[in-house]
Amino acid sequence: MRILINIGAQSLQLLDDDRLLCEYPVSTGALGVGEQNGSFKTPRGRHLIRARIGDGMPENTVFVRRRPTGESWTPELHEQHPGRDWILTRILWLSGCEPGFNRLGEVDTMRRYIYIHGSPDITAMGYPGSHGCIRMRNADVIDLFDRVPIHTPVEIIESD
């Protein structure tokens, strides 16, 4: 199995060989693509899932620094924290596989804390809007999380 994230299409596909198992809308970096630390852009290239976080947690569980805060996202909580970058439900932490491009030094995807993660229901999918991560609907990230093991290959491309 492998994951293909198409930034141009704002989609994530789960493939088995070349057979499409499922496809989900996503939201990638609002500032576009890029690998540089601090750029808030979505990194390209070959990656793998380095860690799976949140197994069994309730939908809308709020995470900060990969730890559940004890909060559950609600519209009321959202109003109390305007501008907060919500990381919800599940986290698939990515690690780059291409030294000098998306791994090590100032371009290290894992050290940039780039995730595939859940988002509030009010978050638009199909449009760039994240701080570099790949945002998904909560139900979709749960479905994906339950299908993929650690070390699943992930490729992030700009378009078809």
Side-chain angles (χ1 to χ4, degrees):
M1 259 193 308
R2 67 187 177 97
I3 293 171
L4 177 65
I5 298 167
N6 184 319
I7 293 173
Q10 292 292 293
S11 70
L12 183 153
Q13 295 179 332
L14 180 61
L15 304 158
D16 187 2
D17 291 318
D18 284 329
R19 185 172 62 95
L20 179 65
L21 300 177
C22 46
E23 184 169 10
Y24 313 95
V26 297
S27 177
T28 61
L31 298 178
V33 296
E35 292 68 42
Q36 190 67 30
N37 187 30
S39 69
F40 298 103
K41 296 178 179 182
T42 299
R44 296 162 292 182
R46 292 180 295 110
H47 297 81
L48 57 78
I49 295 172
R50 181 58 56 125
R52 299 169 72 251
I53 300 164
D55 193 15
M57 299 299 295
E59 189 170 327
N60 286 312
T61 296
V62 176
F63 290 88
V64 173
R65 295 189 176 111
R66 299 159 307 283
R67 305 256 190 277
T69 64
E71 300 166 300
S72 182
W73 184 91
T74 62
E76 295 76 25
L77 183 64
H78 188 87
E79 286 180 26
Q80 293 170 15
H81 300 279
R84 188 169 173 182
D85 184 26
W86 299 98
I87 297 173
L88 306 180
T89 308
R90 303 285 186 278
I91 298 169
L92 296 169
W93 193 356
L94 301 182
S95 179
C97 296
E98 300 173 78
F101 182 66
N102 60 24
R103 185 163 186 245
L104 304 173
E106 292 299 311
V107 293
D108 195 278
T109 296
M110 189 168 182
R111 289 185 190 147
R112 290 182 58 205
Y113 305 103
I114 300 294
Y115 314 135
I116 299 170
H117 66 79
S119 298
D121 291 337
I122 60 172
T123 302
M125 294 296 143
Y127 304 94
S130 79
H131 295 150
C133 288
I134 295 88
R135 294 177 176 168
M136 297 182 74
R137 292 187 178 111
N138 290 313
D140 292 347
V141 80
I142 290 170
D143 184 59
L144 179 65
F145 188 95
D146 289 347
R147 292 173 181 254
V148 297
I150 196 164
H151 300 128
T152 297
V154 176
E155 185 173 7
I156 304 173
I157 63 171
E158 288 188 66
S159 63
D160 285 335

